[in-house]
Amino acid sequence: MPGLSILILDDDRLVLSFLSDFLKHKGHAVTPILDARDLERAVRENKCNAAVVDIRLKGEEGLQFIPKIKELISNGPVIVFTALGYKEEQMQRALKLGATGYVSKLLPPEELYAALMRAFESHAAAKAP
């Protein structure tokens, strides 16, 4: 699924830089943001059509931004990204808020990419007529 324009919201500079570079290398446009206050401007300026959101941001919960991100990217796929491992309650809450998938940051890069692409592709398939 090359050619996505992916917003990445993560307050960890190293993770943000790594994931941004990795997705760019895979042929995607990337809009990295460290602070949720930049969300609307970043999406508007870069016409993102998919997003990866950290579950925990400094002083805030990333899940609260899912509905706004979905609105900003025209109901595109939103993947929740976490270093906390799989917690059923958080995963269910993310999905209820509109997330397309829930992916661990702890996966090796290629497995992480495959998981992201599966989530994006399942979103596209669900929207197809």
Side-chain angles (χ1 to χ4, degrees):
M1 195 163 216
L4 289 171
S5 179
I6 305 171
L7 168 84
I8 304 171
L9 174 57
D10 197 313
D11 61 351
D12 183 321
R13 286 185 188 279
L14 290 174
V15 171
L16 191 62
S17 177
F18 170 77
L19 187 57
S20 295
D21 290 346
F22 187 75
L23 291 172
K24 284 177 188 173
H25 177 75
K26 294 291 190 177
H28 303 285
V30 176
T31 300
I33 59 173
L34 281 165
D35 191 324
R37 292 176 292 192
D38 297 327
L39 188 61
E40 287 190 49
R41 178 198 49 77
V43 173
R44 244 191 339 269
E45 290 176 4
N46 297 287
K47 297 184 179 18
C48 300
N49 57 14
V52 176
V53 181
D54 189 6
I55 201 165
R56 285 256 166 96
L57 302 168
K58 287 182 185 144
E60 299 179 285
E61 186 179 58
L63 295 181
Q64 71 181 334
F65 299 104
I66 294 171
K68 183 65 174 178
I69 292 170
K70 297 270 307 166
E71 176 187 322
L72 291 168
I73 64 172
S74 301
N75 262 344
V78 176
I79 308 302
V80 174
F81 197 46
T82 182
L84 303 173
Y86 290 97
K87 294 187 176 181
E88 184 67 27
E89 181 182 310
Q90 284 183 322
M91 184 174 71
Q92 290 303 322
R93 187 160 167 248
L95 294 172
K96 191 177 282 187
L97 287 167
T100 305
Y102 189 92
V103 177
S104 173
K105 290 181 183 180
L106 306 177
L107 292 173
E110 288 299 329
E111 286 182 40
L112 172 62
Y113 182 71
L116 289 171
M117 291 303 104
R118 278 192 304 275
F120 290 145
E121 288 167 1
S122 73
H123 178 80
K127 290 188 82 171

